[in-house]
Amino acid sequence: MPQRPARDGLPIDGVRRASATMPRGFYAVDPDPTGAPFVPSQDQDSFIPAYPGGPSMNAEGIEMVAGGPRNTLLLHPEDMPELSWLNTGEVNCCGAPGDMGPNRGCRCGAPIGTEMSECYTPYELHLVPGAVVER
């Protein structure tokens, strides 16, 4: 798993988002839980973001951590241009934060991945294990 690039908030090539975690044409297996559902942290004093660049508390002030799937295939989002956007309603000003579960699907509409592309998140695509086959 590569280290996520540091983010200074400045535009890159005219777009306000982080550099991609993965270079194009490569992938890694992310062993950590990714995205929704978010669950209360066992250590309520941890201040660990629920996802990289994301919040650490919910509206009630409870520390949350990602509880989504482990071992997602992490890719550069532009390596899968044929994926469609699912109607999750989560696209913000600069992109998708990826905090509502899978937001990308195949042509048939089956959800297969979560893209993070908001200005405060990493720029990466996580494919759900079991929904895709490595080849």
Side-chain angles (χ1 to χ4, degrees):
M1 187 59 205
Q3 182 150 349
R4 290 182 169 92
R7 179 78 179 108
D8 60 10
L10 299 174
I12 298 171
D13 296 330
V15 179
R16 296 187 71 85
R17 68 173 172 236
S19 297
T21 303
M22 290 300 301
R24 294 204 60 187
F26 293 88
Y27 75 94
V29 177
D30 188 350
D32 294 327
T34 301
F38 296 100
V39 297
S41 172
Q42 292 184 9
D43 179 2
Q44 284 296 303
D45 296 320
S46 64
F47 299 105
I48 298 170
Y51 57 91
S56 59
M57 286 188 192
N58 68 8
E60 291 81 36
I62 297 172
E63 291 288 329
M64 304 295 283
V65 294
R70 291 179 178 271
N71 300 315
T72 57
L73 299 179
L74 176 64
L75 290 86
H76 190 292
E78 294 169 24
D79 278 349
M80 299 290 293
E82 66 276 6
L83 294 182
S84 61
W85 284 99
L86 301 178
N87 189 14
T88 61
E90 73 158 347
V91 176
N92 291 345
C93 62
C94 300
D99 59 1
M100 297 180 74
N103 58 17
R104 302 299 301 269
C106 66
R107 286 179 237 158
C108 70
I112 64 167
T114 302
E115 180 176 312
M116 294 179 177
S117 56
E118 183 57 272
C119 54
Y120 57 87
T121 67
Y123 184 48
E124 51 194 39
L125 173 64
H126 292 262
L127 299 181
V128 179
V132 296
V133 177
E134 295 177 67
R135 290 197 279 169

